[in-house]
Every structure is written in structure tokens, then in C-alpha cells.
Amino acid sequence: MNILITAGPTREYLDPVRFLSNRSTGKMGFAVAQAAVERGHPVTLVAGPVSLPTPPGVTRVDVVSAREMLAAIERCLPQCDALVMSAAVADWRPAQEAGAKLKKRAMSPLLQLVPNPDILQTLAPLKGRRVFVGFAAETGDPIEEAQRKLIDKGLDLIVANDVTVPGAGFAVDTNAVTLISAAPLGQVGSPKQPSLPPQVLPLQSKLDVGRVIVQWIEARCASLKG
Ligand code: C5P
């Protein structure tokens, strides 16, 4: 299987030195990439600005903004069997990006923002028989919100976690996640698929979480082909 994985934050520049971003370090997506190459899958990793080494055997494409990430995925998706969107894509970007550093005295205290494209929703019409996996990082019980995202974004699987739980979320090497999968109704890509009961995984290394996700993808791909 060719697996396309995204990781890290995106940066949305206001001027050459200031940007909007988030706390993602890319560790979860890089762990999924490592787990996938371990299983012998060709992996393309589209990474936002992170300071992590590329796992050996992984083809890495570096991007900065959400729109660059979307463009990179659009280029790679036709060759791929599965997409794992673990990147923390910025939902908004400044309405304007100045070419030179803005002077403090010339800046307004109000920042005008415009929405970024939702990458998964944009790509949903191209899904076909591919397996799409998303992540839902929430503060507090993530299940309800993750189930909504699973359906809205037409995903096969969503990996939900509460980033406030110790040992889970940003900048650590462990994660405690819950897998919520869409029922395989045979209506591939249907955004109306109900979700199956959540599968709560214990706290474990991000690499082990990645291994569980890769095994899940292998099983779903096999059932789609069979
Ligand atoms: O930001 P949100 O919680 O909606 O993210 C859920 C999933 O959607 C993640 O897999 C993320 O990578 C993806 N996403 C996206 N495009 C965005 C924002 C998020 O594909 N603009």
C-alpha cells in the first residue's frame, strides 16, 4: 500500500516574521510514518515546520501553510491507497500577508482572518476506494466531537484524543487515543456512514499507536479489495 501521511502544524504568515500556528510538534504523524515503513509500505510524509529527523525510508515533502499542504497532497494522492491526516492544520490565516515586516505603529490591534480550506473535506470527492484517517485533538471528552468529524469529513477512521490528559497530546512520545471507525457499509466514501463503538486504547508510545493505526488501515484496505 502507498500511504500518504501529514504531520506537524501549518504556519500562516502575517508578514515575513510573524505567523499564526499551534503547538503540534509532528511526533504523532512521524510515528505513523515510521510504523508504516516498518511494515514495508512506501510512505510519503507531508510535513509542516517541525524539527524532527525523517524516518529512514520515508519520502518527505516539506510545506509551510495549509494551502501548500493541500497542494502537496493533491499531487501525491492519485498514487496513494491511504491518507492519514495527523497534521494540525491552521483553520484560519491572515486575510493579507505583507511582503515586509509590519511596523508596530502601523498595525491594527484587530487581525482580519479568512478560513483555510478544510483539506479532508476538499479531497473527499477524490477519495474513491482510498482509506482516509483523520485525527481529532480536543480538550475534554473528544468522542462526540470526533464522531461528528468522522461523518462530516467522510472518514473511515478518526483517532481522538484529549490533549489535556497527562502523557497525551503535544510534544510527548506517548499518547492515549480512542479509535472511532465508520461502519464499512460498502458505500465507499459515503459521508453518512454511522460510527462503530469507540475503541479506547491505553496510554502507549506514539510509535505503538502508529502501529495500531497502520494495522487498522491494512485490514480496511484488504476488506475493500476483497
Ligand atoms: O481541526 P480539526 O479538529 O477539524 O481537524 C480534524 C481533522 O481534519 C484532522 O485530521 C486534520 O488534519 C484535518 N483538517 C484538515 N483541514 C483543515 C483542518 C483540519 O484536513 N483545514
Side-chain angles (χ1 to χ4, degrees):
M1 276 187 316
N2 280 293
I3 307 186
L4 179 57
I5 299 165
T6 66
T10 64
R11 279 185 191 170
E12 312 298 329
Y13 275 88
L14 179 60
D15 67 21
V17 296
R18 302 182 179 98
F19 56 83
L20 297 178
S21 193
N22 58 67
R23 291 180 54 207
S24 172
T25 59
K27 285 187 172 198
M28 190 62 246
F30 275 60
V32 179
Q34 189 174 334
V37 279
E38 269 178 18
R39 295 280 299 165
H41 301 295
V43 174
T44 303
L45 177 60
V46 177
V50 295
S51 50
L52 293 174
T54 310
V58 166
T59 303
R60 176 167 169 176
V61 179
D62 285 312
V63 298
V64 175
S65 68
R67 286 178 297 170
E68 283 175 26
M69 184 170 280
L70 173 60
I73 299 170
E74 281 174 331
R75 277 196 305 276
C76 301
L77 195 67
Q79 298 81 254
C80 289
D81 305 297
L83 169 65
V84 182
M85 277 295 299
S86 40
V89 184
D91 292 315
W92 300 89
R93 67 177 186 273
Q96 269 146 14
E97 183 182 338
K101 187 183 173 196
L102 294 163
K103 302 282 180 233
K104 189 161 48 171
R105 61 177 180 281
M107 285 175 79
S108 157
L110 291 178
L111 196 53
Q112 200 183 350
L113 303 176
V114 292
N116 268 332
D118 187 293
I119 295 175
L120 282 169
Q121 272 174 351
T122 306
L123 298 174
L126 308 176
K127 184 173 179 297
R129 289 196 163 270
R130 294 181 184 86
V131 174
F132 276 16
V133 178
F135 278 70
E138 309 289 341
T139 52
D141 184 1
I143 304 298
E144 201 179 311
E145 195 55 15
Q147 274 167 329
R148 186 187 64 73
K149 288 176 184 176
L150 176 83
I151 306 237
D152 284 358
K153 300 189 187 224
L155 303 175
D156 298 283
L157 177 72
I158 191 149
V159 183
N161 68 325
D162 176 354
V163 292
T164 63
V165 168
F170 302 115
V172 291
D173 292 317
T174 53
N175 211 351
V177 304
T178 299
L179 304 186
I180 306 170
S181 51
L185 295 178
Q187 301 164 335
V188 177
S190 163
K192 298 282 180 281
Q193 290 172 345
S195 61
L196 294 174
Q199 187 191 343
V200 181
L201 302 185
L203 183 72
Q204 57 194 307
S205 70
K206 286 185 173 170
L207 182 56
D208 281 337
V209 173
R211 289 175 176 139
V212 174
I213 294 168
V214 170
Q215 278 168 20
W216 192 96
I217 294 169
E218 289 171 352
R220 181 56 68 98
C221 268
S223 77
L224 288 177
K225 289 201 175 98

